[in-house]
């Protein structure tokens, strides 16, 4: 829908809308209030010249001609979209759109005899086509149900084979305690902190007197709690994402979220303990 038709639609839906109210509604689509005001004034002059709206004092009203134009465009777009969908490639893949458009067409046709007549004369499909689509969708549903059962079994198999999984947690006292518990359970002497923010890496290296290479720092595991507090105190650094590696377990800190990645069975053990 063009900008002018959008303005016409607002005026039709809100008879007697004042100029400033209409300006407020469209101003978000423009870079400044000045450009919005200029565009609105041009559109009102154009719509008024064509007899699509009238202005009484400072209030705007759609004329019968304007309402008829909107009605015609909206019904044509509805039928066009439905025809394109039904005659396009694999309409069953867009079945949700077909149901939505069909429902709109049915409801509007019940209320508008002109639309009903237009729809009967311009639809590019038949009821038999809809029945065929229904059959295609039914087959797809059946296949999806079968695949869903297979997929559930596959997920179970990957769990048994101990494929990796992750747990997302909000940053809070409980999640910090969970990280400390994981570090203690792993019984590792050191951990690696991969700092994706260079400013934070430099501050952390100086604060903990830590050695490292490139964007990594090597710290003693007993300092995990202090490091987490340091991360929290510096959380406002732009994009301060940090990856902790403790004995093969990855803990991603993307404040205010934490992602713990580990083999499935090991991760479940961590979650049970914490």
């Amino acid at each position: 829908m063009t900008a002018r038709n959008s303005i016409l639609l607002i005026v039709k839906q809100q008879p007697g809308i004042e100029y400033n109210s209409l300006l407020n509604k469209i101003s978000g689509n423009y870079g400044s209030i000045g450009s919005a005001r200029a565009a609105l004034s041009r559109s009102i002059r154009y719509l008024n010249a064509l007899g699509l709206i009238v202005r009484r004092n400072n209030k705007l009203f759609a004329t019968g001609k304007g309402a008829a134009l909107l009605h015609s465009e909206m019904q044509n777009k509805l039928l066009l979209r439905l025809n394109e969908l039904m005659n396009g490639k694999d309409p069953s893949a867009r079945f949700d759109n077909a149901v939505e458009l069909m429902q709109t067409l049915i409801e509007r046709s019940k209320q508008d005899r002109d639309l009903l007549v237009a729809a009967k004369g311009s639809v590019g499909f038949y009821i038999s086509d809809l029945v065929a689509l229904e059959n295609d969708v039914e087959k797809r549903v059946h296949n999806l149900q079968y695949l869903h059962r297979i997929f559930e079994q596959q997920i179970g198999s990957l769990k048994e084979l101990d494929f990796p999984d992750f747990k997302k947690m909000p940053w809070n006292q409980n999640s910090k305690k969970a990280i400390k518990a994981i570090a203690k359970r792993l019984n590792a002497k050191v951990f690696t902190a991969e700092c994706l923010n260079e400013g934070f890496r430099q501050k952390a290296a100086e604060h903990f007197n830590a050695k490292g290479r490139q964007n990594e720092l090597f710290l003693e595991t007993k300092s995990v709690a202090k490091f987490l507090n340091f991360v929290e105190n510096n959380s406002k650094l732009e994009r301060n994402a940090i990856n902790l590696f403790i004995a093969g377990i990855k803990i991603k800190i993307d404040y205010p979220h934490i992602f713990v990645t580990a083999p499935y069975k090991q991760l479940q053990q961590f979650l049970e303990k914490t």
Side-chain angles (χ1 to χ4, degrees):
M1 182 174 288
T2 66
R4 287 170 179 167
N5 282 353
S6 296
I7 291 171
L8 177 57
L9 179 60
I10 295 173
V11 173
K12 179 181 178 296
Q13 292 175 336
Q14 300 183 45
I17 186 172
E18 294 186 347
Y19 178 90
N20 287 335
S21 296
L22 183 54
L23 177 62
N24 290 335
K25 285 183 175 293
I26 70 165
S27 60
N29 299 324
Y30 296 87
S32 67
I33 192 67
S35 58
R37 183 180 289 107
L40 178 58
S41 296
R42 288 195 301 269
S43 296
I44 289 176
R45 287 196 300 270
Y46 176 84
L47 295 170
N48 185 66
L50 292 180
L52 303 177
I53 65 171
V54 292
R55 188 168 185 172
R56 299 170 188 159
N57 296 324
N58 197 37
K59 296 182 178 181
L60 299 165
F61 299 85
T63 64
K65 181 180 178 181
L69 175 66
L70 281 174
H71 175 76
S72 175
E73 289 204 358
M74 292 176 73
Q75 77 175 29
N76 288 340
K77 286 185 178 180
L78 174 61
L79 293 172
L80 178 62
R81 288 174 61 193
L82 196 50
N83 285 337
E84 287 179 346
L85 189 152
M86 289 300 302
N87 293 293
K89 183 179 180 181
D90 193 12
S92 62
R94 299 170 60 195
F95 186 62
D96 55 339
N97 291 338
V99 171
E100 180 182 356
L101 291 172
M102 199 75 67
Q103 188 64 32
T104 302
L105 176 63
I106 292 170
E107 292 301 323
R108 289 188 183 176
S109 295
K110 289 178 180 179
Q111 301 170 9
D112 188 337
R113 182 167 180 79
D114 290 338
L115 175 58
L116 176 60
V117 173
K120 288 181 177 180
S122 60
V123 290
F125 54 88
Y126 300 96
I127 291 179
S128 295
D129 296 320
L130 299 179
V131 174
L133 173 59
E134 180 189 20
N135 292 333
D136 288 342
V137 171
E138 187 175 2
K139 291 177 183 177
R140 179 165 290 194
V141 169
H142 178 75
N143 290 335
L144 284 174
Q145 289 174 337
Y146 170 75
L147 291 174
H148 178 251
R149 292 193 295 270
I150 298 298
F151 198 59
E152 280 186 319
Q153 296 172 2
Q154 292 172 338
I155 291 174
S157 297
L158 292 180
K159 289 179 179 179
E160 287 299 317
L161 294 170
D162 212 16
F163 271 63
D165 197 4
F166 79 94
K167 171 68 175 179
K168 180 180 178 181
M169 298 182 289
W171 180 280
N172 53 35
Q173 291 300 320
N174 290 333
S175 57
K176 289 196 293 182
K177 287 180 181 179
I179 293 177
K180 288 185 283 186
I182 289 172
K184 183 177 181 180
R185 182 178 176 84
L186 291 171
N187 199 29
K189 293 183 178 180
V190 296
F191 72 92
T192 301
E194 181 185 38
C195 308
L196 305 184
N197 184 293
E198 178 59 23
F200 174 81
R201 190 198 70 82
Q202 293 177 0
K203 290 181 67 174
E206 181 179 348
H207 182 83
F208 291 97
N209 192 25
K211 296 181 180 180
R213 61 187 178 190
Q214 296 179 346
N215 62 344
E216 297 177 339
L217 293 176
F218 308 120
L219 300 101
E220 294 183 354
T221 304
K222 63 182 181 182
S223 65
V224 163
K226 293 181 180 179
F227 185 79
L228 294 177
N229 290 334
F230 187 78
V231 170
E232 188 170 23
N233 293 333
N234 291 274
S235 61
K236 293 185 179 179
L237 284 172
E238 183 180 354
R239 194 57 183 160
N240 187 22
I242 302 158
N243 295 321
L244 306 183
F245 297 93
I246 309 175
I249 303 304
K250 178 181 177 181
I251 301 172
K252 179 180 178 180
I253 302 173
D254 194 359
Y255 198 88
H257 302 291
I258 297 173
F259 302 83
V260 181
T261 303
Y264 175 79
K265 294 179 182 178
Q266 192 175 27
L267 183 60
Q268 297 308 304
Q269 292 176 354
F270 290 153
L271 296 178
E272 290 174 2
K273 297 294 183 180
T274 56

